[in-house]
Amino acid sequence: MAENANNKKKWIIVGVAVVAIAIVLIVLFSRVSDGSASNKIEVVSQPSMSRRVVDNRFSPTVQVTVSNKTNETIRVCMTCTVYASDGSVTTGLTSSTVTLVAGETATLTAKTSYTYTVLSYDTVCASFGDVKYEFY
């Protein structure tokens, strides 16, 4: 009789662990989309890179305008990578997380704390790519 109770407890613990792992995996894999617009947002204007001036130095920024195409409130941020003229990775950029209600449009601006001299900026920050949208 005690053996049946122990087996029952083991199966309950295993079942709870399997459900918990499944929930964690669903949350982790649903958070990040690929670089294209997902089924949650529409990219209104394509991402574009510009520079901002910080203490007589330049820092890259990438902006994109997105619209929530769901019927619910979502939270989204954008990340991307900046490349040097030789193709090497220079830095990563991240925007703030923005909350969008159904149908709302907003501009995401990804920034970094890294700055570069005026003379080296065009070489070090030649292009960007690997744009991803993260949902929370």
Side-chain angles (χ1 to χ4, degrees), residues 7-51:
N7 282 340
K8 197 175 195 179
K9 285 181 185 177
K10 286 179 187 177
W11 281 109
I12 290 172
I13 291 171
V14 168
V16 169
V18 167
V19 169
I21 290 171
I23 290 171
V24 168
L25 290 174
I26 289 170
V27 168
L28 286 177
F29 288 114
S30 67
R31 187 180 134 199
V32 178
S33 74
D34 62 12
S36 65
S38 74
N39 58 353
K40 294 183 180 184
I41 61 169
E42 174 186 353
V43 175
V44 177
S45 69
Q46 291 301 313
S48 63
M49 188 166 79
S50 61
R51 60 185 116 198

Side-chain angles (χ1 to χ4, degrees), residues 61-62 78-83 91-95 110 128-132:
T61 64
V62 172
M78 184 250 309
T79 62
C80 63
T81 304
V82 175
Y83 301 98
T91 188
L93 307 179
T94 304
S95 74
F128 74 98
D130 194 26
V131 177
K132 294 182 181 166

Side-chain angles (χ1 to χ4, degrees), residues 62-81:
V62 172
Q63 284 191 326
V64 63
T65 302
V66 297
S67 177
N68 178 357
K69 63 182 195 179
T70 70
N71 291 327
E72 53 193 47
T73 300
I74 61 171
R75 296 181 68 216
V76 62
C77 79
M78 184 250 309
T79 62
C80 63
T81 304

